[in-house]
Amino acid sequence: MKGHGVILFPMPFQGHINPMFQLANILHAKGFSITIIHTQFNSPNPSNYPHFRFYSIPDGLSENHAVPSDLNHIVTLLTTLNSNCVTSFRDCLAKLLSVNLEDHIACLITDALWHFTQAVADGLKLPRIVLRTSNVSSFLVFTYMPFLCEKGYLSAQDSQAENQVPELPQLKFKDIVMFERGDLGRLRQFIAIVVQETKASSGIIWNSYEDLEQEHLTKCSLYFSIPVFPIGPFHKCFPASSSSLLPQDQSCISWLDKQAPNSVIYVSFGSVAAINETEFLEIAWGLANSNQPFLWVVRPRLVHGSEWLELLPNGFLEMVGERAYIVKWAPQQEVLAHPSTGGFWTHCGWNSTLESLCEGVPMICRPSFAGPGRIMQVCKPCFGELGLPSGIQVGRGEIERAIRRLNGGEAEGQEMRSESCD
Ligand code: UDX
């Protein structure tokens, strides 16, 4: 008997791979057979998914290609991937469609950033559904790009950060100022193609939910005129641990087990964002001076020009002692669900934000270029003061105060914690 099959094509970055594989598991649980086409770069581990079929395509990148941390290079990499993969993806997809006799392939689901796949799907008469891995409101900002550019708002000064954009009062300049730091022309062009090819698709799946983004979902439906499916948060159905590209250090869970309830501040800036040496040291001192226990994810090369922890001052680790635990990569969902975790200092990547919201963990927000600028609306009720655009240096005193307020301010911390999405 013929079943229903779906072919999925994830963008090969951690924050995109996780939701795509979670979606694949959700669809599989609904009875769909799953085929994954993936790049050789950052390829998933098929042995974690014996129930899926995997096809690897050449992507033209060198074996040791790293994920860049600055916006210009990310746009370059995304543009390169979109042009390098056209032929290999089309050939693979055409072959799969021609030989797949058991399953009727219902559609192709690709990350929104794989814009070239719309033309390929059209050519093969296969419906394409887009998965947008970030939040709805940040995608709306993409659709405002031509207007924001025309008005010169993308070059706003940091001093204007708190001002509202006159024509779009729901936006503050700090929510969009991050675009200024990239090569605007190329970024604009890339975003314009992504929006255009999403408009040409058969629908958008969001890792979000109506109660959180109702107003923006309505606007999106009007703008794109295609069905929208806000079926998140995906991680509540399937955890992301099996699609982790880096090994998750489980030892931090044993350390968390020894800490008092709601006492630990968890610090992680996701898989892409990087910081400079000054920021790194201010964070280190802010954490140390807060006198709270902290679990800090310092990814290898998180700090520009440094391999791991070598920039920490001599004696720092001895001084913080048992109160600190530093890992290269954590089992984040488990950490956020742990009773000892009292707060999350995050770069506001959408996966991290959802994972934290769903566990009722209050956040200190330091949005990064790759994260959703409009996330500020979500974070504000949790913590406004550290909601600064990336690039603005936050001092150790400010960090210390934020952590104390989050963990120490009883009434405030309680109130923040009660805002979970369960
Ligand atoms: C980026 C963007 O920030 C995000 O907005 C976009 O939607 C996808 O690309 P990233 O910067 O990596 O992603 O952040 P985030 O979206 O938070 O994703 C990180 C993922 O890695 C989360 O699922 C998190 O649970 C996981 N993670 C993070 C770990 O498993 N261990 C860690 O130590 C840190």
Side-chain angles (χ1 to χ4, degrees):
M1 200 182 90
K2 285 191 175 184
H4 281 291
V6 178
I7 299 177
L8 297 93
F9 187 35
M11 183 50 77
F13 305 112
Q14 188 71 77
H16 295 250
I17 291 172
N18 286 357
M20 186 62 94
F21 276 88
Q22 287 162 339
L23 175 64
N25 270 325
I26 291 168
L27 293 171
H28 185 264
K30 298 272 176 206
F32 287 92
S33 74
I34 301 295
T35 303
I36 306 280
I37 301 179
H38 64 88
T39 55
Q40 288 166 343
F41 169 66
N42 271 350
S43 64
N45 183 353
S47 64
N48 290 337
Y49 300 93
H51 47 312
F52 298 167
R53 275 177 294 197
F54 286 82
Y55 294 88
S56 172
I57 56 166
D59 49 44
L61 299 183
S62 64
E63 228 169 75
N64 302 322
H65 200 97
V67 176
S69 59
D70 69 283
L71 191 52
N72 284 335
H73 286 106
I74 287 180
V75 175
T76 304
L77 179 56
L78 289 170
T79 307
T80 305
L81 281 168
N82 267 281
S83 79
N84 284 5
C85 294
V86 176
T87 309
S88 55
F89 177 80
R90 191 197 302 117
D91 291 351
C92 181
L93 186 61
K95 203 164 161 194
L96 282 173
L97 292 177
S98 67
V99 299
N100 212 309
L101 300 175
E102 276 171 36
D103 294 331
H104 163 74
I105 300 297
C107 69
L108 168 72
I109 301 179
T110 83
D111 195 290
L113 303 187
W114 281 126
H115 57 69
F116 82 87
T117 57
Q118 185 59 47
V120 173
D122 287 345
L124 295 168
K125 302 207 172 355
L126 184 66
R128 170 190 179 235
I129 295 180
V130 162
L131 168 65
R132 179 59 191 156
T133 59
S134 200
N135 58 332
V136 182
S137 46
S138 70
F139 208 49
L140 269 184
V141 178
F142 279 13
T143 67
Y144 299 151
M145 273 294 268
F147 169 79
L148 296 169
C149 270
E150 198 182 295
K151 286 277 182 184
Y153 291 159
L154 298 177
S155 316
Q157 301 301 308
D158 284 342
S159 58
Q160 287 179 274
E162 288 298 331
N163 297 350
Q164 285 172 331
V165 176
E167 297 84 351
L168 300 164
Q170 72 274 34
L171 266 189
K172 284 188 174 183
F173 281 100
K174 71 178 177 189
D175 300 331
I176 55 172
V177 83
M178 66 188 72
F179 288 119
E180 185 208 357
R181 297 184 177 88
D183 172 344
L184 255 186
R186 283 172 53 247
L187 180 65
R188 239 189 103 169
Q189 202 182 0
F190 184 78
I191 287 177
I193 302 177
V194 167
V195 169
Q196 173 196 304
E197 297 305 294
T198 299
K199 235 177 174 174
S201 76
S202 303
I204 315 176
I205 297 173
W206 298 100
N207 185 14
S208 190
Y209 53 101
E210 280 189 22
D211 285 349
L212 191 62
E213 297 200 89
Q214 182 124 48
E215 184 197 330
H216 301 119
L217 275 164
T218 307
K219 284 189 182 151
C220 246
S221 300
L222 286 173
Y223 182 86
F224 285 98
S225 307
I226 50 174
V228 295
F229 306 101
I231 55 169
F234 298 165
H235 74 278
K236 288 304 259 183
C237 305
F238 289 95
S241 47
S242 43
S243 54
S244 189
L245 295 168
L246 293 171
Q248 297 180 320
D249 188 339
Q250 290 289 337
S251 66
C252 60
I253 302 295
S254 316
W255 176 83
L256 278 173
D257 288 342
K258 292 186 217 132
Q259 311 304 317
N262 284 333
S263 67
V264 173
I265 175 91
Y266 170 59
V267 186
S268 171
F269 302 136
S271 64
V272 180
I275 55 178
N276 63 32
E277 180 178 348
T278 313
E279 283 174 284
F280 179 66
L281 291 176
E282 290 306 306
I283 293 168
W285 284 116
L287 289 168
N289 296 343
S290 73
N291 279 326
Q292 301 283 332
F294 62 91
L295 169 58
W296 188 7
V297 177
V298 180
R299 266 182 8 243
R301 292 169 297 286
L302 165 75
V303 190
H304 296 296
S306 154
E307 202 44 46
W308 195 39
L309 298 180
E310 58 276 16
L311 292 173
L312 285 177
N314 280 341
F316 180 88
L317 290 174
E318 292 74 10
M319 183 193 68
V320 285
E322 293 283 294
R323 190 160 61 76
Y325 207 81
I326 302 181
V327 293
K328 291 182 174 165
W329 196 242
Q332 181 162 300
Q333 269 181 256
E334 277 177 72
V335 169
L336 290 170
H338 198 284
S340 299
T341 303
F344 181 15
W345 181 359
T346 171
H347 73 308
C348 297
W350 186 238
N351 298 291
S352 294
T353 305
L354 271 183
E355 288 160 10
S356 198
L357 275 177
C358 290
E359 295 302 335
V361 176
M363 291 170 271
I364 294 175
C365 301
R366 176 197 182 276
S368 126
F369 66 86
R374 291 287 291 115
I375 193 66
M376 294 312 302
Q377 274 205 341
V378 177
C379 296
K380 235 180 285 168
C382 307
F383 212 88
E385 274 72 352
L386 275 183
L388 297 168
S390 83
I392 290 183
Q393 216 78 62
V394 183
R396 63 189 72 180
E398 220 171 327
I399 294 167
E400 183 189 333
R401 276 191 298 282
I403 296 169
R404 282 182 192 278
R405 198 175 141 199
L406 194 74
N407 270 4
E410 286 299 317
E412 202 168 7
Q414 289 291 341
E415 197 187 315
M416 291 173 192
R417 238 162 256 128
S418 66
E419 302 270 328
S420 95
C421 65
D422 274 328

